[in-house]
């Protein structure tokens, strides 16, 4: 498995939808939340965030939310309509849209919130923020391998970023689907590695 060069000066770590209402104990998607915890993914994302903080790597947290009145939210796909009916909703200002433990949010972290769509990058501030920071490489971790992670990777690649995916720091349902997405799609456009390999890259600066 290739070992990417992750220079802290030009690399950022992006966590995707690692929020209480998605991967926390009160998740709107309990099967996904269970997989994120039981697989160790959530703990590995927290370790990556801690290492990034120590190494001086910029961390961004992408959070999906909606207004309590639903204004301007998507309704053009079954996923959006189903989410609007769930008992736990990702409402702005609620605990559901806070980054989930054990992930630590530091003062220099950037939290980017979106009110529409499926991608943490398209239609958000992420690209402009990364370019202002001089970032060329993006490490992507979080959920889900079904939708948001592929969206993130494809959008970042289309924008010219080099993308690194720690395969054990993403999750989806069913669990076996994650390996299929990595092998058949993500590996074609991103560098696939492991959380341990990324931690080793940042360890000398810790």
């Amino acid at each position: 498995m290739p070992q990417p060069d992750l220079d802290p000066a030009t690399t950022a770590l992006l966590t995707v939808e690692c929020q209480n209402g998605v991967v926390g104990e009160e998740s709107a998607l309990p099967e996904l939340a269970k997989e994120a915890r039981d697989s160790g993914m959530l703990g590995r994302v927290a370790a990556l965030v801690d290492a990034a903080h120590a190494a001086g790597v910029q961390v961004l947290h992408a959070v999906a939310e909606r207004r309590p009145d639903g204004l301007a939210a998507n309704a053009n796909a079954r996923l959006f309509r189903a989410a609007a009916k769930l008992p736990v909703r990702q409402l702005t200002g609620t605990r559901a849209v806070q980054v989930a433990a054990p992930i630590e949010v530091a003062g220099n972290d950037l939290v980017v919130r979106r009110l529409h769509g499926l991608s943490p990058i398209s239609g958000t501030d992420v690209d402009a923020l990364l370019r202002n920071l001089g970032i060329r490489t993006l490490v992507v971790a979080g959920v889900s391998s079904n939708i948001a992670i592929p969206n993130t990777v494809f959008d970042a690649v289309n924008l010219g970023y080099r993308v690194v995916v720690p395969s054990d720091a993403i999750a989806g349902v069913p669990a076996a689907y994650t390996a299929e997405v990595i092998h058949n799609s993500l590996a074609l456009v991103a560098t696939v590695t492991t959380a341990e390999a990324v931690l080793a890259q940042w360890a000398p600066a810790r």
Side-chain angles (χ1 to χ4, degrees):
M1 189 171 289
Q3 303 303 313
D5 178 18
L6 302 175
D7 180 359
T10 57
T11 300
L13 170 63
L14 177 65
T15 74
V16 178
E17 294 185 25
C18 290
Q19 58 200 78
N20 287 320
V22 177
V23 297
E25 293 183 359
E26 301 172 4
S27 171
L29 304 165
E31 186 180 0
L32 177 59
K34 185 177 187 299
E35 175 61 22
R37 292 193 303 270
D38 292 355
S39 68
M41 183 225 82
L42 196 56
R44 283 186 283 273
V45 174
L48 288 169
V49 170
D50 288 346
H53 291 157
V57 173
Q58 181 64 55
V59 178
L60 297 88
H61 304 279
V63 174
E65 60 182 59
R66 61 186 290 136
R67 287 168 52 112
D69 61 8
L71 185 66
N74 285 73
N76 59 331
R78 187 175 67 175
L79 175 66
F80 300 124
R81 295 190 293 272
K85 298 175 183 177
L86 291 172
V88 177
R89 298 169 66 202
Q90 316 302 321
L91 299 182
T92 300
T94 67
R95 173 175 162 76
V97 298
Q98 295 174 355
V99 175
I103 298 169
E104 298 273 350
V105 180
N108 286 338
D109 290 4
L110 296 170
V111 179
V112 181
R113 306 181 183 279
R114 78 175 194 273
L115 290 170
H116 67 90
L118 299 169
S119 172
I121 294 180
S122 178
T124 74
D125 293 335
V126 168
D127 180 40
L129 294 173
L130 293 175
R131 292 188 188 283
N132 287 347
L133 290 163
I135 300 301
R136 300 303 308 143
T137 300
L138 192 61
V139 179
V140 175
V143 294
S144 73
S145 56
N146 303 75
I147 295 174
I149 294 296
N151 261 263
T152 305
V153 171
F154 296 148
D155 284 349
V157 170
N158 283 332
L159 288 167
Y161 295 97
R162 186 168 69 103
V163 181
V164 175
V165 178
S167 60
D168 52 353
I170 65 172
V173 289
Y177 184 68
T178 299
E180 293 295 327
V181 169
I182 291 170
H183 178 72
N184 293 301
S185 296
L186 302 187
L188 302 178
V189 295
T191 299
V192 177
T193 185
T194 64
E196 182 180 10
V198 175
L199 294 171
Q201 283 277 319
W202 293 337
R206 295 172 69 182

